[in-house]
Amino acid sequence: MSIKERLSGNEAVAYAMKQINPDVVPVYPITPSTEIPQYFSSFVANGTVDTEFVPVESEHSAMSAAIGASAAGARVMSATSSQGLALMYEMLYIASGMRLPIVLTCVNRAISAPINIHNDHSDSMGARDCGFIQLYCETNQEAYDNIIMAVKIAELAKLPVMVCYDGFITSHSVENIELLEDEKVKAFVGEYTPEHYLLNPDEHVSMGPLDLQNYFFEHRKQLADAMTNAKEIIAKVSKEFGDISGRYYDAFESYKLDDAEYGLVVLNSTAGTAKTVVDKLRDKGIKVGLLKPRMFRPMPHKELAESLKHLEAVAVMDKADSVNAMSGPVYTELVTALHKHDVHIPVSNYIYGLGGRDVKATDIEKVFRDILAAKDNKENLNGTFYLGVRE
Amino acid sequence: MIEIRWHGRGGQGAKTASLLLADVAFNTGKYIQGFPEYGPERMGAPLTAYNRIDDEPIRIHSNIYEPNYVVVVDDTLVGPVDVCKGIDPNGAILINSSLEPSVIKEKLKDVNVKIYVIDASKIALETIGANFPNTALLAAIIKVTGLMSKEDLEKNMLDSFKHKFAKKPEVIEPNMEAVRRAYDEVKEV
Amino acid sequence: MVNDKMGASELPLAGIITESGNSEKFNTGEWRNKRPVHDKEKCKHCMMCILPCPDNATCHKDGVMTGIDYSKCKGCGICASVCPFKAIHMEDEGGND
């Protein structure tokens, strides 16, 4: 029997971390992820967990300490946002390159400048090529579930995992949630038994040695292969999680997409608002649907193309801008996926909600109306638009 | 779905009140959202918080632009802030104020919704002994929305206070008194 | 032991080295541009050159200095510098002379 509760996204993640009881949590607080270490440190102080909590002096140190602890053989978790993730950037590549299964919560927040504390995806999108698995969450429930799954995914894939959800919108909003019993989580994540680790008295290993022209490329190929193989691992762990929780997760969620003529692709909390818009338009007989990616790394390119190929047109919403005079990151990758699998449909791009600009149901309805109206004027469909911005 | 918007000032507990309301509604088996809109976090700066309450899971994740109800924690916000913006014509506004009803009516003369007033600060001072108007405002908005009966509210609040004030049981009864008084004293002007 | 004929699927993950102290299996003495030369006549076997060598390339057995292991020596010259009897001197390595 699950436990019905009401928690904010950050409370839910701190609670999941309590149930996981990781060995080491090195962390430096930054809005809007601050509550995670705040709540978790009280679990440490109360003796509810036996985690070594390391309050470091910067995010660079947080990830560095996480790498050291993980290499030593510990199960390690941390959390950050925005500039914090940016400051970790150098070490993110070390974590993935050393194949350390660190679980990092990224509470999505805009990257400065100008300075802003609110939600968009420019932090995690900026780190999309650092070799972390990236899972995106619509609700506090998905944040809780993905964090628990992330531990297992990371350890099986030997890759670090970043779980991303929207700052304030998800992190600070109290909503209904179903929690698993402590024993269930404990049994699900199990004991971490690394294959090689520095504190193993029976095996003396060196990690992170100099790796030059004749080996580096092969080690990067190993990383690429690990990311490809992670798809299957994520599917397997998600199935196991579904079996204990009743909540099954795929690489992405399709909402009323099968018989849709027009589709929308959007990450995180906005997908919830978009579902209400899909319902509203469906009530008027307009066949629209939604695709919400959960996995962005690895990219489920084949399955995405398969799910979208029957549509007349697709709009991709990006809560980050690549500033490349072309499009946002989700659009770029989605169009690549479609092209790769020989799907040629018009796809338009909407950069939206930067710096926490609220996304109303009417904004999303406008996107649908735009692509519907452009039915007979398809060159309008392949554009990049800044939704609701003052020109 | 009921949508409620709270207007307060930094430090007055509008956020806490919205979370308390979410709590109370959750305890009656509803689906809830309670969230603040964070701005510049300064003591005294106007801020907004929100609630959604429904029998079905809530998926929308935007701010609330057409609330059914508006709660104003500090009557000095009426004027500087357009507290009634977008309000449902069949909805209502609840104001914490010690002003005469005629004065409040004059301040909101352009508004065509029901106006309720509660002197939550006075109730708080007389029961709890400090200006913590949240409990009284919560009871008042529950009465205005008809979310639950007085009996259910009392039972619910007692459970929640027993948990919240486990180490300070002496403050439970004053808070319960604030709940009962606010439920009875909130009135339409 | 890895070699550069091995592919990504065969190499240990992330370049991890699971055999501690395996450097003795590698010829690391290819980087020298000067080599130390041991003069057995001058050597008093005082062992002053043994400890300072960063690569354990100064060899000894049963209290006797036995010479330099050129498969490990990087040519840093510390042994020549610490020898109280000038029993080790540096010579240019190949090519130039």
Side-chain angles (χ1 to χ4, degrees), chain A residues 7-66:
Chain A
L7 295 175
S8 71
N10 284 347
E11 284 174 325
V13 166
Y15 196 86
M17 287 170 68
K18 181 181 89 169
Q19 295 181 309
I20 292 161
N21 193 6
D23 299 312
V24 181
V25 171
V27 65
Y28 188 82
I30 180 168
T31 301
S33 63
T34 301
E35 292 172 337
I36 297 171
Q38 181 191 327
Y39 297 137
F40 190 76
S41 64
S42 71
F43 300 141
V44 176
N46 294 342
T48 326
V49 292
D50 37 41
T51 303
E52 185 70 35
F53 185 82
V54 194
V56 286
E57 73 280 12
S58 78
E59 288 86 354
H60 189 281
S61 304
M63 188 43 67
S64 302

Side-chain angles (χ1 to χ4, degrees), chain A residues 4-6 117-118 138-139 168-169 172-176 255 269 272-273 275-276 279 358-361, chain B residues 15 19 22-23 26-27 30-39 41 58-65:
Chain A
K4 289 192 189 309
E5 254 298 349
R6 69 295 195 195
I117 58 165
H118 292 279
E138 177 186 329
T139 59
F168 294 111
I169 302 167
H172 284 63
S173 177
V174 171
E175 294 186 323
N176 303 58
Y255 185 74
S269 67
T273 309
K275 285 175 192 169
T276 67
D279 287 354
D358 195 32
V359 194
K360 305 185 278 288
Chain B
K15 180 199 163 187
L19 297 183
D23 244 26
F26 168 82
N27 289 338
K30 301 275 187 188
Y31 287 93
I32 53 103
Q33 274 183 355
F35 58 103
E37 183 178 11
Y38 286 89
E41 295 183 39
I58 301 165
R59 297 173 302 179
I60 190 162
H61 280 105
S62 66
N63 293 339
I64 293 170
Y65 298 92

Side-chain angles (χ1 to χ4, degrees), chain B residues 124-146:
Chain B
L125 283 168
E126 290 175 3
T127 54
I128 306 163
N131 188 6
F132 297 135
N134 284 342
T135 307
L137 267 174
L138 185 66
I141 189 64
I142 283 169
K143 175 151 183 205
V144 169
T145 56

Side-chain angles (χ1 to χ4, degrees), chain A residues 75-360:
Chain A
R75 179 177 275 165
V76 187
M77 303 180 82
S78 187
T80 193
S81 292
S82 184
Q83 312 302 124
L85 188 71
L87 188 53
M88 279 183 185
Y89 191 74
E90 177 191 1
M91 302 316 290
L92 297 176
Y93 282 76
I94 311 289
S96 62
M98 287 179 70
R99 308 294 304 279
L100 300 171
I102 295 161
V103 174
L104 176 69
T105 302
C106 174
V107 183
N108 288 118
R109 164 185 153 183
I111 292 253
S112 301
I115 195 161
N116 181 291
I117 58 165
H118 292 279
N119 168 248
D120 69 33
H121 303 156
S122 47
D123 48 5
S124 60
M125 280 298 158
R128 66 189 180 276
D129 290 345
C130 72
F132 271 57
I133 289 171
Q134 286 194 339
L135 302 176
Y136 285 82
C137 315
E138 177 186 329
T139 59
N140 54 8
Q141 182 76 64
E142 293 188 7
Y144 172 81
D145 293 347
N146 275 323
I147 281 287
I148 294 169
M149 283 183 267
V151 171
K152 215 165 166 172
I153 291 167
E155 290 165 10
L156 287 170
K158 294 195 169 74
L159 282 175
V161 180
M162 195 184 293
V163 176
C164 310
Y165 58 91
D166 287 345
F168 294 111
I169 302 167
T170 308
S171 68
H172 284 63
S173 177
V174 171
E175 294 186 323
N176 303 58
I177 187 169
E178 287 186 19
L179 304 170
L180 294 168
E181 292 82 354
D182 291 355
E183 318 79 65
K184 264 194 189 170
V185 176
K186 198 177 166 191
F188 180 77
V189 297
E191 279 284 316
Y192 175 40
T193 47
E195 189 183 349
H196 303 290
Y197 55 103
L198 293 173
L199 290 184
N200 182 355
D202 300 322
E203 186 192 44
H204 301 184
V205 296
S206 299
M207 290 184 180
L210 183 72
D211 204 32
L212 297 178
Q213 295 93 323
N214 47 355
Y215 290 105
F216 183 86
F217 201 179
E218 279 70 27
H219 289 133
R220 295 307 291 185
K221 179 62 167 46
Q222 289 179 341
L223 185 63
D225 291 342
M227 191 57 86
T228 305
N229 297 336
K231 280 186 197 177
E232 219 168 286
I233 290 167
I234 295 170
K236 179 176 161 280
V237 172
S238 302
K239 166 77 170 62
E240 283 171 27
F241 184 81
D243 291 343
I244 63 158
S245 66
R247 295 184 294 277
Y248 291 89
Y249 290 89
D250 288 324
F252 47 81
E253 181 189 343
S254 298
Y255 185 74
K256 303 193 175 175
L257 199 60
D258 288 352
D259 66 335
E261 289 168 359
Y262 294 86
L264 184 77
V265 176
V266 67
L267 297 169
N268 281 16
S269 67
T270 309
T273 309
K275 285 175 192 169
T276 67
V277 178
V278 167
D279 287 354
K280 188 182 162 191
L281 295 178
R282 284 264 173 181
D283 285 346
K284 293 177 181 167
I286 305 169
K287 285 190 165 178
V288 293
L290 171 80
L291 189 148
K292 177 191 78 181
R294 168 186 177 229
M295 258 161 59
F296 190 71
R297 289 288 180 275
M299 190 75 181
H301 53 91
K302 192 174 168 209
E303 299 82 354
L304 278 173
E306 189 61 33
S307 296
L308 298 172
K309 68 177 184 193
H310 64 287
L311 298 172
E312 293 285 320
V314 179
V316 179
M317 293 179 70
D318 260 299
K319 218 171 188 179
D321 192 358
S322 288
V323 204
N324 57 3
M326 183 174 76
S327 58
V330 183
Y331 177 90
T332 306
E333 304 224 353
L334 190 102
V335 171
T336 307
L338 294 176
H339 187 86
K340 196 177 169 77
H341 298 283
D342 212 21
V343 175
H344 303 284
I345 51 174
V347 189
S348 55
N349 191 202
Y350 287 83
I351 310 286
Y352 77 101
L354 299 189
R357 176 72 55 86
D358 195 32
V359 194
K360 305 185 278 288

